[in-house]
């Protein structure tokens, strides 16, 4: 993409690009214990980054405290944003700039074509067809060309979700994908009436390097394409777990971590911090920053700020204690607001929720207004209750769906009592005070209906922990017993809707989609997601964005005034 002052074309004058200023699938044992460690950081200038999280630690040439620090409000668990774990932990915050999307979702909601990577052409007809032509220069950081095989892997991993442990709902709308091994051109053909949201296909962090996974299991590109096209379980049984788990940051495998984006992972530190360096082989504009360090939620932000390394932060509280707004030398400014994403409960389809009537009954006792109030109280950002599945909570078209959605904002105890005597276990990535308060609000509103709601976040936290129906190699169905009945997480409805009407190009189609979703109830919308960012005034080109990729959606365009392009602020210097 051609650079502009804000780093991405298509940002209109209504969006402010921050200029430089003169002044200042499995439950994972031990996960929560590891997160607790993040809260205890010592002597940050001595923290070193390692190339691998196992074995003896080899310090990098420079210390963490000498780099540009970016703190995210999520754990950093995997670089695979298409896996159940990646979706549940919002891995797009990291991997959006490692594996860029075909269309970049901009801060004003626009879908910006990533022409550095691919050109697209839509053909008319009952079955929507999209032709993708990858640029000849598009390659991974190891020099391997990006080909249609990588996109075929995305598609097949999505439709073979039980084998791969994936969550890519829009892939279920694809009828077929025409791809020859090594080709730079391929065609996606959608089912009749589907594909209206095709721009959200191949989203941030979800098109992974197929060649490095194939190398691990000894498959050629031709063999991999054949296995994917034929959905050959026998051949893919060894391949799929590497796709699912191989991009883990806790068991960092540098052989898999090649990049198609402006940054590449250099190493993972002992506190879960991820060091990114400029990808010198990137086929687009080179990143302005040579290096930055992403810190996971649970990191002591005050310690980073005291060291002068914290430049951008996505935080859970609108009034972080470590920012002194009354200090004229305070280098930070804070921006809070209602985010683009919607907090949803994603429900299992087995166990207590094995039939739609049970899911409808549970939805009838959920008080979205109370949930939104709880979220607002803890975050310090006033967010609205949400009753719409199919579009973003701030889309003006929601008013034309209100007669369908608004009745579900009210508690209907009579209907909810159909589920009386049952227990619903809700998990989320924790510890998270705001989400704990939201679950407590659900517990309080469902209790009068005889439904027991349990905060099970210490037992499970990801989509792979749900009790649900799975499909095996020969199409046989079986129930996967998980510790959870529902997962609380933020969702982009545009990439999540997987109904027959997801094309939704007219209000009538949207109304049909919304009606069907409230009948089937695969999920329950709750409230808009609150967001707060803390931004160093000396950092330029930071454009606030609250979608899946977060404020780092254009972090390759961020700039700092220091000549070393990202070093820590000198605590002795005056501003």
């Amino acid at each position: 993409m051609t650079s502009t002052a804000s780093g991405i074309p298509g940002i209109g004058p209504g969006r402010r690009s921050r200029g430089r200023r003169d002044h200042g699938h499995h439950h994972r044992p031990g996960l929560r214990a590891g997160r607790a460690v993040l809260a205890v950081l010592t002597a940050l200038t001595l923290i070193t980054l390692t190339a691998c999280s196992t074995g003896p630690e080899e310090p990098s040439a420079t210390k963490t405290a000498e780099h540009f620090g970016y703190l995210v409000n999520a754990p950093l668990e995997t670089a695979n944003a298409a896996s159940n774990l990646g979706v549940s932990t919002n891995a797009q915050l990291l991997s959006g700039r490692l594996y860029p999307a075909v269309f970049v979702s901009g801060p004003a909601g626009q879908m910006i074509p990533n022409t550095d990577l691919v050109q697209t052409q839509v053909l008319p007809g009952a079955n929507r067809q999209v032709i993708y032509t990858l640029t000849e220069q598009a390659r991974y950081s190891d020099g391997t060309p990006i080909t249609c095989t990588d996109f075929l892997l995305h598609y097949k991993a999505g439709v073979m979700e039980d084998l791969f442990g994936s969550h890519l709902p829009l892939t279920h709308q694809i009828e077929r994908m025409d791809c020859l091994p090594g080709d730079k051109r391929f065609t996606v053909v959608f089912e009749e009436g589907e594909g209206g949201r095709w721009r959200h296909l191949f989203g941030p962090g979800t098109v992974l390097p197929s060649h490095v996974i194939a190398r691990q299991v000894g498959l050629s590109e031709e063999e991999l394409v054949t296995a994917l096209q034929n959905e050959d379980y026998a051949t893919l049984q060894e391949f799929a777990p590497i796709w699912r788990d191989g991009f883990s940051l806790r068991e960092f495998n540098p052989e898999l971590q090649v990049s198609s984006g402006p940054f590449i992972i250099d190493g993972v530190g002992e506190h879960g911090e991820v060091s990114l360096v400029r990808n010198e082989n990137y086929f687009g504009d080179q990143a302005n920053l040579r290096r930055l360090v992403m810190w996971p939620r649970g990191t002591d932000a005050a310690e980073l700020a005291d060291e002068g390394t914290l430049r951008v932060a996505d935080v859970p509280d609108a009034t972080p204690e470590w920012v002194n707004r009354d200090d004229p030398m305070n280098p930070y400014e804070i921006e809070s607001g209602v985010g683009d994403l919607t907090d949803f409960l994603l429900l299992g389809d087995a166990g207590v929720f094995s039939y739609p009537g049970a899911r409808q009954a549970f939805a009838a006792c959920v008080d979205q207004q109370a949930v939104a109030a709880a979220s607002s109280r803890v975050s310090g950002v006033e967010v609205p209750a949400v009753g719409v599945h199919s579009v973003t909570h701030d889309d003006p078209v929601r008013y034309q769906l209100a007669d369908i959605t608004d009745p579900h904002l009210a508690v209907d105890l009579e209907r909810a009592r159909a589920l009386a005597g049952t227990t619903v276990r809700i998990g989320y990535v924790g510890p998270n005070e705001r989400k704990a308060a939201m679950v407590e609000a659900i517990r309080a509103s469902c209790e009068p209906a005889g439904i027991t709601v349990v905060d099970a976040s210490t037992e499970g936290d990801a989509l792979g922990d749900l009790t649900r129906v799975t499909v095996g190699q020969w199409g046989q169905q079986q129930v996967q017993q998980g510790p959870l009945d529902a997962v609380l997480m933020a969702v982009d409805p545009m990439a999540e809707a997987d109904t027959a009407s997801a094309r939704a190009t007219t209000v009538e189609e949207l109304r049909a989609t919304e009606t069907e979703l409230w009948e089937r109830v695969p999920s329950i919308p709750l409230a808009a997601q609150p967001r707060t960012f803390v931004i160093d005034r000396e950092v330029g080109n930071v454009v606030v964005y609250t979608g899946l990729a977060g404020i780092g959606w254009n972090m390759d365009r961020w700039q700092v005034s220091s000549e070393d392009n990202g070093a820590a602020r000198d605590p002795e210097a005056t501003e």
Side-chain angles (χ1 to χ4, degrees):
M1 292 178 285
T2 303
S3 297
T4 66
S6 59
I8 295 288
I11 297 178
R15 305 300 295 187
R16 180 167 63 92
S17 177
R18 185 182 309 279
R20 192 178 299 121
R21 302 186 182 183
D22 293 332
H23 299 289
H25 75 101
H26 299 289
H27 176 58
R28 298 166 306 286
L31 177 58
R32 291 163 192 81
R35 288 177 183 146
V37 174
L38 296 177
V40 185
L41 295 179
T42 59
L44 285 175
T45 56
L46 299 178
I47 295 175
T48 57
L49 298 170
T50 63
C52 182
S53 63
T54 59
E57 293 184 354
E58 299 179 2
S60 65
T62 50
K63 300 172 184 177
T64 298
E66 296 172 349
H67 303 314
F68 183 112
Y70 167 32
L71 173 64
V72 297
N73 188 24
L76 296 173
E77 298 286 346
T78 178
N80 181 354
S83 66
N84 280 324
L85 175 60
V87 172
S88 304
T89 57
N90 194 188
Q92 295 92 337
L93 295 173
L94 167 67
S95 58
R97 294 284 76 196
L98 302 178
Y99 309 111
V102 167
F103 281 81
V104 177
S105 182
Q110 71 275 48
M111 295 299 289
I112 305 167
N114 184 0
T115 54
D116 282 339
L117 175 63
V118 65
Q119 299 279 352
T120 58
Q121 179 185 3
V122 182
L123 303 182
N127 290 70
R128 184 188 299 266
Q129 298 186 47
V130 183
I131 299 174
Y132 297 79
T133 305
L134 295 161
T135 61
E136 286 300 321
Q137 298 79 14
R139 62 190 184 277
Y140 288 100
S141 53
D142 63 357
T144 301
I146 300 172
T147 71
C148 72
T149 305
D150 305 308
F151 293 82
L152 178 66
L153 173 56
H154 171 107
Y155 161 42
K156 290 298 184 176
V159 297
M160 302 175 74
E161 57 190 347
D162 293 325
L163 176 63
F164 279 85
S166 66
H167 185 77
L168 294 167
L170 295 184
T171 59
H172 293 278
Q173 298 179 3
I174 298 175
E175 179 180 276
R176 73 175 193 276
M177 177 175 161
D178 299 331
C179 166
L180 295 176
D183 264 13
K184 288 279 190 175
R185 182 183 174 95
F186 62 96
T187 301
V188 174
V189 181
F190 291 90
E191 301 281 355
E192 184 174 352
E194 300 285 6
R197 294 180 177 178
W198 65 272
R199 291 177 181 84
H200 295 268
L201 195 65
F202 308 126
T206 65
V207 179
L208 304 181
S210 60
H211 67 286
V212 292
I213 309 174
R215 187 184 303 143
Q216 298 279 309
V217 296
L219 286 177
S220 68
E221 185 173 12
E222 291 76 12
E223 290 170 332
L224 177 59
V225 169
T226 298
L228 290 171
Q229 293 284 28
N230 294 334
E231 298 186 4
D232 182 347
Y233 273 73
T235 301
L236 296 173
Q237 275 182 340
E238 187 180 359
F239 179 95
I242 299 175
W243 180 94
R244 182 186 66 231
D245 302 324
F247 294 84
S248 167
L249 299 174
R250 288 180 167 270
E251 299 177 2
F252 183 69
N253 183 351
E255 293 183 6
L256 291 178
Q257 299 286 353
V258 302
S259 169
S260 61
F263 290 103
I264 185 172
I265 297 178
D266 184 47
V268 180
E270 62 181 296
H271 298 288
E273 70 274 23
V274 178
S275 176
L276 301 178
V277 295
R278 184 188 292 151
N279 176 7
E280 302 291 349
N281 288 325
Y282 182 52
F283 44 90
D285 293 338
Q286 288 288 296
N288 289 327
L289 296 175
R290 287 187 295 105
R291 178 187 294 270
L292 64 85
V293 178
M294 290 186 68
W295 292 89
R297 188 178 66 203
T299 300
D300 191 327
E303 291 280 0
L304 292 180
D306 287 346
E307 290 291 335
T309 63
L310 185 56
R311 313 307 290 268
V312 178
D314 185 349
V315 296
D317 185 353
T319 56
E321 295 180 355
W322 51 274
V323 179
N324 185 358
R325 294 189 180 190
D326 297 326
D327 182 357
M329 302 302 293
N330 165 42
Y332 300 109
E333 63 181 52
I334 299 175
E335 292 200 19
S336 296
V338 179
D340 295 336
L341 304 181
T342 300
D343 283 322
F344 270 76
L345 281 178
L346 276 68
L347 309 183
D349 58 0
V352 68
F353 291 143
S354 59
Y355 62 100
R359 299 192 291 272
Q360 292 168 8
F362 180 60
C365 78
V366 174
D367 184 347
Q368 282 95 336
Q369 299 289 354
V371 172
S375 177
S376 301
R377 183 184 71 254
V378 176
S379 67
V381 178
E382 197 70 26
V383 295
V386 177
V388 62
H389 293 85
S390 57
V391 295
T392 55
H393 62 82
D394 56 353
D395 191 320
V397 78
R398 73 189 187 281
Y399 296 115
Q400 299 185 61
L401 309 175
D403 60 313
I404 300 170
T405 62
D406 286 2
H408 296 284
L409 295 175
V411 173
D412 185 346
L413 290 179
E414 189 65 29
R415 188 174 191 180
R417 287 191 180 98
L419 206 59
T422 60
T423 297
V424 176
R425 304 157 298 170
I426 300 177
Y428 52 85
V429 177
N432 189 309
E433 182 184 358
R434 183 179 69 88
K435 290 184 177 179
M438 296 169 73
V439 173
E440 171 57 24
I442 296 169
R443 186 204 64 77
S445 67
C446 289
E447 186 177 39
I451 301 171
T452 301
V453 172
V454 174
D455 185 327
S457 58
T458 59
E459 301 172 31
D461 53 17
L463 292 175
D465 295 324
L466 288 172
T467 294
R468 60 190 183 92
V469 175
T470 62
V471 179
Q473 177 175 359
W474 309 113
Q476 75 277 19
Q477 293 188 346
Q478 58 187 15
V479 173
Q480 172 189 294
Q481 293 289 346
L484 302 180
D485 301 303
V487 172
L488 172 56
M489 57 181 282
V491 163
D492 178 1
M494 300 301 290
E496 190 69 24
D498 63 344
T499 71
S501 301
R503 183 172 185 173
T505 54
T506 68
V507 172
E508 290 74 18
E509 288 175 333
L510 274 175
R511 289 177 62 83
T513 295
E514 199 62 44
T515 298
E516 192 272 341
L517 284 169
W518 273 115
E519 289 175 350
R520 187 161 55 90
V521 200
S523 60
I524 303 173
L526 299 173
Q529 183 191 41
R531 298 298 285 271
T532 295
F533 300 106
V534 180
I535 306 161
D536 190 322
R537 293 185 175 95
E538 290 186 349
V539 181
N541 285 346
V542 179
V543 181
V544 170
Y545 172 60
T546 59
L548 291 171
I551 198 170
W553 72 289
N554 75 331
M555 63 186 179
D556 52 312
R557 299 297 95 205
W558 291 352
Q559 293 180 328
V560 290
S561 55
S562 54
E563 290 183 1
D564 63 354
N565 228 359
R569 183 188 301 103
D570 181 357
E572 302 299 323
T574 58
E575 297 183 324

